[in-house]
Amino acid sequence: MNETRMLIGGQLVDAEGGASFDNVNPATEEVIGPVADGTRADMARAVGAAREAFDTTGWARDHEARKSGLLQLQAAIEAEQEELRAELIAEAGAPLLLTYGPQLDAPLREALTWPAEMIDAFPWRRALPVKNAFGTGDAEREVWKEPIGVVAVIVPWNFPMEILLNKLGPVLAMGNTCVVKPAPDTPHTAARLGRLVAEHTDIPPGVVNIVTAQDHEVGEVLSTSPAVDMVAFTGSTATGRRIMAAAAATVKPVFLELGGKSANIVLDDADLEATLAGAAGCCMHGGQGCAISTRLLVPRSRYEDAVELARASFENWAYGDPTDPSVLQGPQISARQRDRVLGYIDQGRAEGARVVVGGGRPDHLPRGYYVEPTLFADVDNTMTIAREEIFGPVLCIIGYEDDDDAVRIANDSSYGLSGTITSGDVERAKDVARKIRTGTLGLNGAIWYGPDAPFGGYKGSGIGRQCGIEGLEIFTETKTVGWPAAPTT
């Protein structure tokens, strides 16, 4: 059964006044069930609970309690893994096959356990050389890393469990407390996690709070409250700017993992046929992934060959019912998102790009928020569809003259999140990679992802890194301490 309640101060509670909203299945347009519709007052109570837990309990200093709590939560999630799988398919439209990978099983393997293991290995203290700086006697000096405090965790709807776990693990491992605001499109998985924290772990009350709400404005409490020490957000660049501006009033740091318009660069020595056989892979999960490469850069000398190879990939791409194990593309998350994607497709046509495959709503899927896998050719990098994040199953093919031109086009973007490079020579691919201004790159099909791998972007793709040592450090403060050195004999 879907959890309908929120977690505030260790208690599973209804929203103020008993308010609720319906969670809708994007593949069927049917109501899955209700969930608590939290208010600004509910969010303020959650912030207060997190503040009290940080200030009055030993959570921030108790390494063993934190390790135990994370491992208990891991076990609790594993016990309900199949229920979570079904919820992700139902509320996110996540294809079944993807839940065995990045939507659920892949992050569940290490997103909580790796940070738990790092609690003891993390360099909490670092000694500096003994020094007499002002002629007042030698001082022993150390740098201490301490929890930052109360962290607001705001997660999106596209990979709701993966992103939540990869935030929650480091936040808790570093000794912080938190308030989680899930996207209103995918509230049930987060609410379930709240119940698991409350009923199956010894994590102290108030350390984890989860507030579901239909109104995005409820989350503003987290950005503006002086009781919140940091905001960790994954989502659109536009929303990230608003959070950053709101957080400035209380001078709180922000971690922002934002949008992308990544380039898939196919160098002229690559096996074009083998590489473009998977061109439609950018349509995975409806293209609703910030790190997906949605600009395909191919040598101008082989442009028409590339278009035809990509066409074949798109025409043979399976999409539709996310419960079908052969499908990798389900619906867009909502009618609004579907219409937004279709609007971009219309804009591409209007600006002169050529639709090779797709370009509309599929006739054979009358229910659900589906968009056809859409391939554009004759795209110039100045076109809207080449510059803005569509977040849909849309690929733009862009020609380039040589390696330097490919680098120029790839970097000619307000984003810098990810990308891919394919070459017959991995050293050549590395040389190109050094010139690309993005936070992550996959060369020749290799996967960089993991809880130990920092993930984030340059430019408009965000600030800071999630995962890895950098993703632990970001949730800490730095304190430098000195004291009189012991007399030498």
Side-chain angles (χ1 to χ4, degrees):
M1 291 186 64
N2 305 117
E3 178 56 61
T4 65
R5 298 165 295 178
M6 306 182 297
L7 176 63
I8 299 178
Q11 300 296 314
L12 296 169
V13 298
D14 294 328
E16 182 183 47
S20 66
F21 67 95
D22 288 332
N23 191 12
V24 175
N25 184 322
T28 65
E29 303 182 44
E30 296 174 351
V31 173
I32 301 167
V35 68
D37 193 3
T39 65
R40 294 177 74 91
D42 290 321
M43 189 65 79
R45 286 198 298 121
V47 169
R51 183 81 262 164
E52 182 177 5
F54 184 79
D55 291 342
T56 65
T57 72
W59 175 258
R61 296 172 297 281
D62 194 333
H63 288 197
E64 291 304 317
R66 302 206 300 272
K67 283 191 289 184
S68 175
L70 284 168
L71 295 179
Q72 287 172 338
L73 182 56
Q74 172 79 18
I77 295 172
E78 289 176 357
E80 297 189 10
Q81 191 166 345
E82 295 313 308
E83 290 86 347
L84 268 168
R85 192 183 313 282
E87 278 183 335
L88 283 166
I89 296 168
E91 71 174 2
L96 171 64
L97 193 58
L98 291 185
T99 68
Y100 292 104
Q103 282 284 6
L104 180 62
D105 289 7
L108 188 54
R109 279 193 288 272
E110 294 183 284
L112 298 181
T113 58
W114 186 82
E117 293 167 0
M118 288 300 298
I119 291 173
D120 288 335
F122 185 77
W124 296 100
R125 296 169 61 178
R126 182 177 86 249
L128 299 175
V130 174
K131 191 168 186 177
N132 183 330
F134 301 110
T136 56
D138 288 344
E140 293 191 48
R141 301 173 301 153
E142 284 189 347
V143 178
W144 297 350
K145 292 290 186 179
E146 299 180 339
I148 201 166
V150 176
V151 179
V153 176
I154 306 175
V155 294
W157 44 259
N158 58 331
F159 286 80
M161 187 52 53
E162 183 269 340
I163 294 170
L164 177 53
L165 292 179
N166 275 313
K167 280 185 169 47
L168 203 59
V171 165
L172 299 182
M174 294 294 98
N176 303 286
T177 63
C178 65
V179 180
V180 175
K181 168 65 170 64
D185 308 273
T186 52
H188 277 145
T189 47
R192 178 182 292 272
L193 194 72
R195 177 176 59 76
L196 295 179
V197 169
E199 295 181 350
H200 297 283
T201 78
D202 296 321
I203 295 173
V207 168
V208 178
N209 304 271
I210 297 177
V211 178
T212 55
Q214 189 172 26
D215 187 351
H216 290 282
E217 303 303 316
V218 171
E220 284 190 353
V221 173
L222 298 174
S223 301
T224 58
S225 172
V228 173
D229 297 298
M230 179 183 183
V231 179
F233 168 76
T234 295
S236 73
T237 298
T239 303
R241 290 191 188 102
R242 291 197 295 272
I243 288 172
M244 195 173 183
T250 50
V251 200
K252 61 169 61 72
V254 293
F255 160 52
L256 305 175
E257 193 274 287
L258 307 176
K261 194 69 182 178
S262 301
N264 176 1
I265 303 173
V266 182
L267 298 182
D268 59 15
D269 64 347
D271 183 334
L272 199 65
E273 186 172 354
T275 301
L276 297 189
C282 64
C283 300
M284 178 192 73
H285 191 33
Q288 297 170 134
C290 54
I292 292 174
S293 294
T294 54
R295 291 182 295 157
L296 174 60
L297 276 54
V298 299
R300 180 68 63 187
S301 60
R302 300 199 62 189
Y303 189 82
E304 291 306 324
D305 290 340
V307 171
E308 291 308 307
L309 290 167
R311 177 202 295 272
S313 178
F314 271 70
E315 288 178 341
N316 290 291
W317 179 252
Y319 69 102
D321 180 2
T323 66
D324 182 340
S326 70
V327 162
L328 280 172
Q329 177 190 336
Q332 308 311 119
I333 191 65
S334 64
R336 177 183 178 185
Q337 181 63 19
R338 175 200 62 201
D339 294 345
R340 178 178 183 273
V341 173
L342 292 172
Y344 272 112
I345 293 172
D346 289 343
Q347 182 77 9
R349 286 193 181 99
E351 293 183 9
R354 169 166 57 102
V355 175
V356 179
V357 179
R361 295 178 62 178
D363 293 335
H364 69 288
L365 295 169
R367 291 186 64 80
Y369 310 127
Y370 292 96
V371 174
E372 291 177 318
T374 300
L375 176 65
F376 274 105
D378 303 337
V379 178
D380 183 275
N381 202 52
T382 62
M383 292 179 179
T384 302
I385 57 172
R387 304 203 69 79
E388 297 187 13
E389 185 178 43
I390 299 173
F391 230 58
V394 180
L395 179 65
C396 303
I397 308 183
I398 302 171
Y400 68 85
E401 298 300 330
D402 54 23
D403 288 8
D404 288 342
D405 193 35
V407 169
R408 178 190 64 79
I409 294 169
N411 286 338
D412 181 18
S413 174
S414 61
Y415 297 106
L417 186 59
S418 193
T420 54
I421 302 170
T422 306
S423 172
D425 180 353
V426 71
E427 292 305 318
R428 182 182 177 191
K430 288 180 183 178
D431 183 60
V432 172
R434 292 183 183 96
K435 303 171 187 176
I436 303 297
R437 300 276 296 165
T438 65
T440 59
L441 282 167
L443 311 185
N444 288 355
I447 304 297
W448 47 262
Y449 172 86
D452 57 347
F455 173 54
Y458 293 21
K459 300 186 281 187
S461 289
I463 298 171
R465 294 296 182 268
Q466 180 167 290
C467 298
I469 295 297
E470 292 82 355
L472 298 176
E473 289 180 338
I474 203 168
F475 295 116
T476 66
E477 285 280 21
T478 301
K479 179 181 291 181
T480 305
V481 182
W483 58 92
T488 56
T489 58

